[in-house]
Amino acid sequence: MTPDDVLAVSTVRVTGWKAAYAGLVPAGYLDRMSVEADAERRRDSFGGDARVQNLVAELGGEVVGWGVVGPCRDEGCEGDHGEIHALYVAPPVIGAGVGRALMRELVARADAAGYPSLSLWVLRDNHRARRFYERAGFHWDGGELSWHVHDEVVPELRYRRLI
């Protein structure tokens, strides 16, 4: 990913959230998401930590996927473990192999960085994403968080796999 990809990545992320999280995250939260605001935040933080690698997937020269791998951010996480911070695919190409290709590359980058394991967080009720991660070798390790959105609780589960 380069700074020139930020707007395209924000488009993938926001449209991905709105498609994948409808019914799982309060509608008002999703309705207020904007590509422009997301891109502004992303530009401000892009390249801030050299250990964090942002990758894009392209089809026909168009960004259709985005993934991020870096150090584990969980409290108490051992410093030598990695985390997939994000993995999003543009809704029109879900099922075309873009997510699998990004996942393979994220795992390869984690391996090259020397991480013995990877974790990620997934919404408990996002069954499609959970199946995807399970096919990629991840499993729920018992970790849970509650994300409070407006007056609703959105439960998340931590998945982990060895490299």
Side-chain angles (χ1 to χ4, degrees), residues 119-133:
S119 63
L120 58 84
W121 289 91
V122 60
L123 298 185
R124 182 193 68 201
D125 296 331
N126 188 345
H127 301 291
R128 182 180 195 159
R130 290 178 64 183
R131 283 189 305 272
F132 172 81
Y133 295 132

Side-chain angles (χ1 to χ4, degrees), residues 13-136:
R13 181 178 177 273
V14 170
T15 60
W17 268 65
K18 290 182 177 189
Y21 299 156
L24 303 178
V25 172
Y29 183 89
L30 295 175
D31 292 343
R32 282 190 289 286
M33 290 182 76
S34 83
V35 170
E36 295 77 17
D38 188 81
E40 185 175 324
R41 280 190 305 277
R42 202 149 314 289
R43 279 187 197 97
D44 290 344
S45 65
F46 184 72
D49 184 342
R51 300 171 304 161
V52 175
Q53 298 180 54
N54 285 266
L55 308 175
V56 295
E58 296 181 337
L59 285 176
E62 180 181 339
V63 172
V64 295
W66 168 63
V68 182
V69 65
C72 179
R73 300 172 294 177
D74 294 345
E75 186 175 317
C77 187
E78 297 175 30
D80 62 343
H81 292 270
E83 178 182 349
I84 293 180
H85 299 189
L87 196 161
Y88 293 97
V89 174
V93 298
I94 289 174
V98 173
R100 288 186 303 276
L102 269 172
M103 179 61 79
R104 278 191 305 274
E105 187 59 27
L106 291 168
V107 170
R109 299 280 180 112
D111 187 30
Y115 298 130
S117 71
L118 274 174
S119 63
L120 58 84
W121 289 91
V122 60
L123 298 185
R124 182 193 68 201
D125 296 331
N126 188 345
H127 301 291
R128 182 180 195 159
R130 290 178 64 183
R131 283 189 305 272
F132 172 81
Y133 295 132
E134 288 163 3
R135 284 191 304 271

